[in-house]
Amino acid sequence: MRILVSACLLGACCRYDGAARPQRDVQALARRHQLVPVCPEQLGGLATPRPPAERRGGAVMTKSGADVTEQYRRGAEEAWKLCCLLGCEAAILKERSPSCGHGRIYDGSFAGRLVPGNGVTAELLCAHGIPVYGESQIQDLLK
Ligand code: SF4
């Protein structure tokens, strides 16, 4: 199966703080599946490192109040474009991220509170019918 994957889960240092979040279980999937790494925030034109951001209603705002909604939307479109071009059947995306989070994301207050919702890229992929899994749900994908 070809799977779109958050690049930070594969070890790319693309997070807002310049770090990676490698997950051994996700990396191990490369032995049996074709993984397509994407970082929507970088694809949307944002620098690394970059200010942390959270979804707030329909917008995405940095902690200092800059509106980065357009960059997050562009990154989601670019990720979707690659997903289509390469025929990805599912996505494994970093949990809680304002781009990649699926099911629960931070509430926009930068206080560490989670609320039901999706990141901008996860939302777009779901709208197009791509099953999205967080890194803790890999076993569900492999069933
Ligand atoms: Fe990882 Fe997604 Fe954030 Fe990029 S946008 S660093 S892939 S969680």
Side-chain angles (χ1 to χ4, degrees):
M1 189 191 313
R2 199 165 290 173
I3 307 170
L4 199 75
V5 181
S6 293
C8 58
L9 295 176
L10 293 172
C13 296
C14 55
R15 271 171 46 107
Y16 75 93
D17 58 1
R21 275 291 179 273
Q23 297 285 318
R24 213 171 289 170
D25 289 352
V26 179
Q27 292 171 327
L29 290 175
R31 290 198 285 271
R32 286 173 290 131
H33 300 276
Q34 291 180 295
L35 306 184
V36 177
V38 292
C39 175
E41 291 172 23
Q42 289 186 336
L43 288 170
L46 293 167
T48 304
R50 54 189 169 275
E54 296 187 0
R55 289 199 84 170
R56 197 177 294 162
V60 185
M61 309 294 292
T62 68
K63 199 171 182 178
S64 61
D67 187 336
V68 286
T69 309
E70 188 47 43
Q71 290 92 329
Y72 275 69
R73 286 208 183 118
R74 196 182 317 145
E77 292 290 347
E78 293 297 304
W80 169 235
K81 195 191 298 179
L82 292 171
C83 183
C84 288
L85 181 71
L86 298 170
C88 296
E89 298 170 60
I92 300 172
L93 301 183
K94 177 76 188 75
E95 292 165 355
R96 298 180 292 279
S97 152
S99 291
C100 294
H102 180 245
R104 288 193 317 161
I105 55 172
Y106 292 112
D107 70 355
S109 66
F110 295 90
R113 284 194 296 265
L114 292 167
V115 290
N118 295 322
V120 180
T121 296
E123 188 172 84
L124 185 65
L125 294 175
C126 286
H128 285 290
I130 301 296
V132 174
Y133 299 85
E135 66 270 24
S136 67
Q137 300 173 310
I138 292 176
Q139 293 314 315
D140 296 339
L141 167 65
L142 299 178
K143 275 179 193 163

